[in-house]
Amino acid sequence: MMLVQVETPVRALVTWFPDWPLVAARLADALPPDVPAAVIGHGVIAACSAEARAEGVVRGLRLREAQTRCTGLVVCAVDPVRDAGEFEPVLSSLEERTPGVEVLRPGLCAIRARGAARYYGGEEAAAGAVLESADRLGVEARVGIADSVFAAEQAARSTSELSPLLVLQPGLSRDFLSPFPVEVLGQPKLASLLKRLGILTLGSFANLPVADVRARFGAAGITAHALASGQDPRRVIPRTPPRKLDQRAEFEPGLDRVDQLAFQLRATADTFVAGLQTEGLVCTELRVLITDEAGSRSERTWGHPRHFTPSDVVDRVRWQLQSQPPVANNGMPDGGTTGAGLSSPVIGVEFVPVRVDSIAHHGRALFGDGAEEQIHHGLSRIQSMLGHEAVVVPAISGGRLLAERRRLVPWGDALPPGTAALASRPWPGRIPDPQPATVFASLIPVLLLDANKEKVRTDHRGGLLAPPMWFCPGGDPARRRLVAQWAGPWPLRQRWWDADHRLEADRFQLVDGNGEAWLLLLDEQNWWAEARYD
């Protein structure tokens, strides 16, 4: 007689944090507490607060319908980066109590129940440790324990606020899952097909023969069938906790002078950069968080054209502190303001690497540094001495006027979000290539005169009433020049329905007697020079 060894299912403990996108948004101050609030994804409600649910708002509801049911609803957009960032402290707290956590997604994680149960003396005691860890952080958690990750997740979702724990005894997962609808499988196409075939619950689906499921639904159907049968093939794979790359410096007593802070932070900046290099990384985007004795906090993310060195890190702190005028009556000595909204001595500075890159991509050239490195070094030195906005580079933005299309960005900063998309729009009425080489920061008044030395005007259809004869730069008739060639006008009409922001003007190109080419703009009263073709 041959003995068949049945594999013992690996028990899973799943922790679910209800409405995590909403919780993360409130932790990040993107939504206020204790008001009807919701997080929006693809135009529908992804998560909502208890206050919003009390007024009829539910997940999956369209935004317009949700606002009709709850007129005071406060919303923000889904942000996966925010969700993951705010979930990291929760994970760290869980790993202190029960190591071996796998993140299924932000707001949902799994642990192998066997090891935790042995350590705490039982599965319920292990779940209690998890719930206590979440409660210590002030977030709501629910726990389910079952023979598979999928069954444990459904068990956690079946709990309530008053009873946040559900433990399924070994061998009972299939019976527990039997009444659940097929939509919980997370495969909308398969669920739609099963419903058309009259299979509405997981129990009905689990009762189908495996061979028939494989023949009809393929590999995806086999996986879903295993889930419905309580035999989730997935195993809990603990994550490797990321090494702490950020650095924090604390000062007691607090420092109220920028030069003192810069001197004290040098060692922390060295440690920060050295820690990244040990991991084979360099920081290309850095977040600096500064806290003062009054509890105020200044936070800013800085970019870099290459990667941050210790000196660059210290410079960013200095620029951040000096970015705003001093707060009145802050009790600091002259020249010692912390700026950036901080009104008392600084007690803590933290460096957080937002974006890193492999150090191999930033090695020195084989035959020494080229001209690009020398330019970068020179610009960085000037910026370090004169300030963050002392060195700027141009970027193309959106708009019809040339001054609108030109944007100056401090050296090393990333373009503001949406700039590239704004520049790629068609913008009817803008000047085609080639663009003028010199664009004036503000319009320069000029005169364009006809043969009778009267201002050239246009009629109601946009045509010239008289051809131009004289051009006067700076609006001085004594400096008039003959007009050699001209073209235009081209009407420019923008936001005609908005009395405060509408633009009605005519563009004009000309070449004067000195051979200089100009781009002019005629508004309702005057002529202006917008740019010059050099």
Side-chain angles (χ1 to χ4, degrees):
M1 181 178 64
M2 183 176 63
L3 297 177
V4 179
Q5 182 178 3
V6 179
E7 182 182 356
T8 303
V10 177
R11 303 275 288 172
L13 185 155
V14 170
T15 307
W16 172 53
F17 298 86
D19 299 319
W20 180 255
L22 177 77
V23 175
R26 284 180 165 174
L27 291 175
D29 295 329
L31 286 175
D34 302 326
V35 298
V39 177
I40 307 301
H42 302 291
V44 299
I45 303 296
C48 58
S49 65
E51 296 84 358
R53 284 193 291 270
E55 300 193 31
V57 179
V58 294
R59 287 187 59 197
L61 199 66
R62 291 190 174 275
L63 175 59
R64 185 64 61 86
E65 177 65 21
Q67 291 174 330
T68 301
R69 297 184 182 184
C70 179
T71 56
L73 187 67
V74 181
V75 300
C76 73
V78 168
D79 187 350
V81 175
R82 178 184 63 210
D83 295 348
E86 297 296 337
F87 196 51
E88 190 63 34
V90 178
L91 285 175
S92 300
S93 179
L94 289 179
E95 287 171 337
E96 292 178 0
R97 298 294 187 95
T98 55
V101 180
E102 178 187 4
V103 182
L104 303 177
R105 63 177 176 272
L108 187 68
C109 57
I111 304 169
R112 292 174 182 172
R114 183 180 303 172
R118 287 178 178 176
Y119 181 81
Y120 286 100
E123 291 179 341
E124 293 188 3
V130 172
L131 293 172
E132 182 183 353
S133 175
D135 184 66
R136 188 174 57 179
L137 294 177
V139 295
E140 181 185 1
R142 312 278 181 85
V143 175
I145 302 177
D147 293 339
S148 67
V149 173
F150 177 73
E153 178 184 348
Q154 302 311 315
R157 292 181 179 274
S158 301
T159 58
S160 64
E161 186 176 358
L162 297 178
S163 179
L165 171 62
L166 179 57
V167 180
L168 302 180
Q169 297 302 318
L172 298 182
S173 294
R174 177 168 178 165
D175 294 338
F176 169 76
L177 294 172
S178 180
F180 281 80
V182 292
E183 285 83 358
V184 300
L185 292 171
Q187 299 186 32
K189 292 183 179 179
L190 177 61
S192 176
L193 179 56
L194 290 174
K195 292 175 68 176
R196 291 200 299 270
L197 295 174
I199 302 172
L200 304 180
T201 63
L202 298 185
S204 300
F205 186 40
N207 289 332
L208 297 178
V210 176
D212 294 345
V213 172
R214 180 183 293 108
R216 181 63 179 85
F217 304 108
I222 288 294
T223 301
H225 188 268
L227 296 179
S229 304
Q231 299 172 355
D232 190 350
R234 293 177 298 175
R235 293 293 180 264
V236 177
I237 302 175
R239 73 164 189 158
T240 301
R243 181 180 173 183
K244 186 178 178 64
L245 298 176
D246 50 331
Q247 291 289 331
R248 179 176 177 83
E250 297 184 351
F251 310 105
E252 181 60 38
L255 301 179
D256 56 6
R257 296 190 62 89
V258 175
D259 53 352
Q260 293 176 340
L261 271 170
F263 180 78
Q264 294 290 338
L265 285 173
R266 179 66 195 207
T268 305
D270 288 335
T271 304
F272 172 72
V273 174
L276 290 168
Q277 292 176 348
T278 302
E279 298 293 322
L281 302 171
V282 293
C283 180
T284 58
E285 191 171 344
L286 170 71
R287 181 180 296 121
V288 178
L289 302 97
I290 306 174
T291 308
D292 67 7
E293 289 182 344
S296 301
R297 182 174 178 180
S298 170
E299 179 176 344
R300 179 167 178 177
T301 299
W302 299 88
H304 198 282
R306 299 192 66 186
H307 62 87
F308 283 97
T309 65
S311 297
D312 295 329
V313 173
V314 175
D315 283 340
R316 267 56 180 185
V317 177
R318 181 161 52 84
W319 296 341
Q320 184 166 329
L321 292 172
Q322 296 173 339
S323 60
Q324 293 185 3
V327 180
N329 299 323
N330 58 8
M332 294 184 181
D334 293 340
T337 175
T338 59
L342 301 179
S343 57
S344 60
V346 173
I347 61 172
V349 178
E350 185 175 1
F351 303 133
V352 180
V354 176
R355 185 175 299 157
V356 296
D357 193 12
S358 173
I359 198 172
H361 299 158
H362 298 266
R364 299 186 65 177
L366 180 61
F367 298 102
D369 297 328
E372 181 181 352
E373 175 66 22
Q374 296 176 8
I375 293 174
H376 164 71
H377 179 72
L379 293 179
S380 297
R381 289 278 295 173
I382 295 174
Q383 193 177 44
S384 177
M385 291 185 294
L386 301 182
H388 176 230
E389 298 183 356
V391 180
V392 294
V393 294
I396 298 178
S397 183
R400 294 178 174 85
L401 296 178
L402 294 178
E404 295 175 344
R405 293 183 60 81
R406 182 194 63 177
R407 186 161 194 166
L408 298 178
V409 181
W411 168 257
D413 280 11
L415 291 178
T419 300
L422 196 64
S424 63
R425 294 180 181 177
W427 294 108
R430 69 183 180 91
I431 294 296
D433 294 332
Q435 298 291 317
T438 300
V439 177
F440 304 122
S442 57
L443 298 177
I444 298 177
V446 297
L447 286 176
L448 190 63
L449 308 176
D450 58 18
N452 297 323
K453 298 183 180 179
E454 299 290 337
K455 285 185 180 180
V456 175
R457 298 292 185 186
T458 59
D459 57 23
H460 66 281
R461 303 188 64 180
L464 293 180
L465 295 176
M469 179 68 68
W470 302 99
F471 172 64
C472 307
D476 184 3
R479 298 174 55 194
R480 67 177 181 268
R481 306 174 185 176
L482 281 171
V483 175
Q485 295 177 328
W486 57 274
W490 299 284
L492 182 60
R493 305 292 183 262
Q494 179 174 286
R495 301 182 70 87
W496 52 267
W497 63 91
D498 190 339
D500 296 328
H501 301 92
R502 68 183 179 187
L503 173 64
E504 296 184 8
D506 295 277
R507 275 200 167 111
F508 200 86
Q509 290 174 325
L510 67 81
V511 179
D512 63 23
N514 294 351
E516 294 183 349
W518 300 78
L519 177 65
L520 305 183
L521 197 68
L522 172 65
D523 60 14
E524 296 179 356
Q525 299 292 332
N526 302 306
W527 284 92
W528 307 88
E530 188 179 1
R532 185 174 61 233
Y533 294 87
D534 294 336

